[in-house]
Amino acid sequence: MTYEIPKKVQTLGEDIQRSELKYHDREVLVSKEFTFDSAHHLHCYEGKCKSLHGHTYKLQVVMRGKVDDRGITIDFADIKRIAKERIIDRLDHRYLNEVLPPMNTTAENMVVWMYEQLRDALRSEGLFPAVRLEEVRLWETPTSYAAVTARLMGDGPA
């Protein structure tokens, strides 16, 4: 297979019309992943996590919606901005027991709090109901995660 350098960059209004930008009318899932480092310890737990320790957490945010007239559900930059403002900036390089609401800082508790933060942001920015939060996953280690979905949170079909 040979590859050629394009001779002309596609121009809106000439090579493609605005009405052609939207290819379909289906819902799609759009996802972005983040990492952050934090310290915590668990209460009422007998094991290593009883002691103060840290993790490099991985957060995956999955949103759902139909594409707009440009073929975009939600801009990846908007997902990044919302997650950064509502979660990452508040938790990165912090002691979770101090900055989260009163809770045992388990992945299971934290992922529900994160879901609520993201869902509330979509609503306050007027993006909901066109864009809905579908799933949030929080990896505490590369092989262990907790997740919640819209259905589990009562925000989606049963």
Side-chain angles (χ1 to χ4, degrees), residues 27 63-66 73 119 122-133 155:
E27 283 195 322
M63 297 189 179
R64 173 183 181 164
K66 290 189 173 187
T73 301
R119 180 190 58 201
L122 289 176
R123 289 180 175 161
S124 69
E125 293 194 18
L127 296 168
F128 178 86
V131 178
R132 295 174 313 285
L133 192 54
D155 292 338

Short mmCIF file of all heavy atoms in Angstrom, two decimals, residues 27 63-66 73 119 122-133 155:
data_model
loop_
_atom_site.label_atom_id
_atom_site.label_comp_id
_atom_site.label_asym_id
_atom_site.label_seq_id
_atom_site.Cartn_x
_atom_site.Cartn_y
_atom_site.Cartn_z
N GLU A 27 -26.73 6.95 19.71
CA GLU A 27 -26.01 7.28 20.93
C GLU A 27 -24.65 6.58 20.89
O GLU A 27 -24.53 5.48 20.35
CB GLU A 27 -26.78 6.79 22.16
CG GLU A 27 -27.94 7.67 22.53
CD GLU A 27 -28.45 7.38 23.92
OE1 GLU A 27 -28.48 6.20 24.32
OE2 GLU A 27 -28.80 8.35 24.60
N MET A 63 -19.15 8.75 29.28
CA MET A 63 -20.37 9.53 29.08
C MET A 63 -21.11 9.00 27.87
O MET A 63 -20.52 8.36 27.00
CB MET A 63 -20.04 11.01 28.94
CG MET A 63 -19.40 11.56 30.21
SD MET A 63 -19.23 13.33 30.16
CE MET A 63 -18.50 13.63 31.78
N ARG A 64 -22.41 9.32 27.78
CA ARG A 64 -23.27 8.77 26.74
C ARG A 64 -24.16 9.86 26.19
O ARG A 64 -24.68 10.68 26.93
CB ARG A 64 -24.11 7.66 27.36
CG ARG A 64 -25.15 7.08 26.46
CD ARG A 64 -25.97 6.06 27.21
NE ARG A 64 -26.96 5.49 26.35
CZ ARG A 64 -27.62 4.39 26.61
NH1 ARG A 64 -27.39 3.73 27.74
NH2 ARG A 64 -28.50 3.93 25.78
N GLY A 65 -24.35 9.82 24.87
CA GLY A 65 -25.28 10.76 24.26
C GLY A 65 -25.24 10.66 22.75
O GLY A 65 -24.40 9.96 22.18
N LYS A 66 -26.16 11.37 22.12
CA LYS A 66 -26.18 11.45 20.66
C LYS A 66 -25.22 12.54 20.21
O LYS A 66 -24.94 13.47 20.97
CB LYS A 66 -27.59 11.75 20.16
CG LYS A 66 -28.54 10.59 20.34
CD LYS A 66 -29.85 10.85 19.64
CE LYS A 66 -30.72 9.61 19.70
NZ LYS A 66 -31.92 9.75 18.88
N THR A 73 -20.37 14.26 20.58
CA THR A 73 -21.25 14.05 21.73
C THR A 73 -20.91 15.04 22.82
O THR A 73 -21.76 15.78 23.30
CB THR A 73 -21.12 12.60 22.26
OG1 THR A 73 -21.46 11.71 21.20
CG2 THR A 73 -22.02 12.36 23.44
N ARG A 119 -21.77 13.92 37.65
CA ARG A 119 -23.19 14.06 37.29
C ARG A 119 -23.67 15.47 37.61
O ARG A 119 -24.35 16.11 36.79
CB ARG A 119 -24.03 13.03 38.05
CG ARG A 119 -25.53 13.13 37.73
CD ARG A 119 -26.36 12.28 38.65
NE ARG A 119 -26.12 12.69 40.04
CZ ARG A 119 -26.36 11.95 41.10
NH1 ARG A 119 -26.83 10.71 40.96
NH2 ARG A 119 -26.12 12.40 42.31
N LEU A 122 -22.38 17.97 35.01
CA LEU A 122 -23.11 17.92 33.74
C LEU A 122 -24.43 18.68 33.86
O LEU A 122 -24.83 19.41 32.95
CB LEU A 122 -23.38 16.48 33.31
CG LEU A 122 -22.17 15.67 32.84
CD1 LEU A 122 -22.58 14.23 32.56
CD2 LEU A 122 -21.53 16.31 31.61
N ARG A 123 -25.10 18.53 34.99
CA ARG A 123 -26.38 19.22 35.21
C ARG A 123 -26.18 20.72 35.36
O ARG A 123 -26.90 21.52 34.76
CB ARG A 123 -27.08 18.63 36.42
CG ARG A 123 -27.60 17.23 36.13
CD ARG A 123 -28.32 16.62 37.30
NE ARG A 123 -28.88 15.32 36.91
CZ ARG A 123 -29.25 14.38 37.73
NH1 ARG A 123 -29.13 14.55 39.03
NH2 ARG A 123 -29.75 13.26 37.28
N SER A 124 -25.20 21.12 36.16
CA SER A 124 -25.00 22.56 36.41
C SER A 124 -24.51 23.29 35.16
O SER A 124 -24.75 24.49 35.02
CB SER A 124 -24.06 22.79 37.58
OG SER A 124 -22.75 22.39 37.26
N GLU A 125 -23.85 22.59 34.26
CA GLU A 125 -23.36 23.22 33.03
C GLU A 125 -24.37 23.13 31.88
O GLU A 125 -24.08 23.55 30.77
CB GLU A 125 -22.03 22.60 32.61
CG GLU A 125 -20.93 22.92 33.60
CD GLU A 125 -19.55 22.63 33.07
OE1 GLU A 125 -19.37 22.49 31.85
OE2 GLU A 125 -18.62 22.55 33.90
N GLY A 126 -25.53 22.54 32.16
CA GLY A 126 -26.57 22.46 31.14
C GLY A 126 -26.31 21.43 30.06
O GLY A 126 -26.95 21.46 29.01
N LEU A 127 -25.39 20.52 30.30
CA LEU A 127 -25.08 19.47 29.31
C LEU A 127 -26.04 18.29 29.42
O LEU A 127 -26.25 17.57 28.45
CB LEU A 127 -23.64 19.00 29.49
CG LEU A 127 -22.58 20.07 29.22
CD1 LEU A 127 -21.22 19.60 29.69
CD2 LEU A 127 -22.56 20.44 27.75
N PHE A 128 -26.60 18.08 30.61
CA PHE A 128 -27.58 17.02 30.84
C PHE A 128 -28.94 17.56 30.42
O PHE A 128 -29.23 18.73 30.67
CB PHE A 128 -27.58 16.66 32.34
CG PHE A 128 -28.58 15.62 32.72
CD1 PHE A 128 -28.27 14.28 32.61
CD2 PHE A 128 -29.83 15.98 33.18
CE1 PHE A 128 -29.19 13.31 32.96
CE2 PHE A 128 -30.76 15.02 33.54
CZ PHE A 128 -30.45 13.69 33.43
N PRO A 129 -29.82 16.83 29.78
CA PRO A 129 -29.81 15.39 29.54
C PRO A 129 -29.19 14.96 28.22
O PRO A 129 -29.14 13.77 27.93
CB PRO A 129 -31.29 15.03 29.57
CG PRO A 129 -31.96 16.24 28.98
CD PRO A 129 -31.13 17.41 29.46
N ALA A 130 -28.72 15.91 27.39
CA ALA A 130 -28.13 15.51 26.10
C ALA A 130 -26.92 14.59 26.33
O ALA A 130 -26.71 13.64 25.59
CB ALA A 130 -27.72 16.74 25.30
N VAL A 131 -26.13 14.90 27.36
CA VAL A 131 -24.98 14.07 27.73
C VAL A 131 -25.24 13.54 29.14
O VAL A 131 -25.57 14.31 30.04
CB VAL A 131 -23.67 14.88 27.70
CG1 VAL A 131 -22.49 14.01 28.13
CG2 VAL A 131 -23.43 15.48 26.32
N ARG A 132 -25.10 12.23 29.29
CA ARG A 132 -25.34 11.60 30.59
C ARG A 132 -24.11 10.81 31.01
O ARG A 132 -23.38 10.29 30.17
CB ARG A 132 -26.55 10.67 30.50
CG ARG A 132 -27.84 11.44 30.21
CD ARG A 132 -29.05 10.57 29.97
NE ARG A 132 -28.92 9.46 29.05
CZ ARG A 132 -28.86 9.54 27.72
NH1 ARG A 132 -28.88 10.72 27.13
NH2 ARG A 132 -28.77 8.48 26.97
N LEU A 133 -23.93 10.73 32.29
CA LEU A 133 -22.83 9.94 32.82
C LEU A 133 -23.25 8.48 32.79
O LEU A 133 -24.29 8.12 33.33
CB LEU A 133 -22.51 10.40 34.24
CG LEU A 133 -21.23 9.88 34.86
CD1 LEU A 133 -20.02 10.16 34.00
CD2 LEU A 133 -21.05 10.50 36.24
N ASP A 155 -29.81 6.33 37.77
CA ASP A 155 -29.90 7.36 36.73
C ASP A 155 -30.15 6.78 35.34
O ASP A 155 -30.18 7.52 34.37
CB ASP A 155 -28.60 8.17 36.67
CG ASP A 155 -28.39 9.02 37.91
OD1 ASP A 155 -29.36 9.32 38.61
OD2 ASP A 155 -27.23 9.38 38.17
#
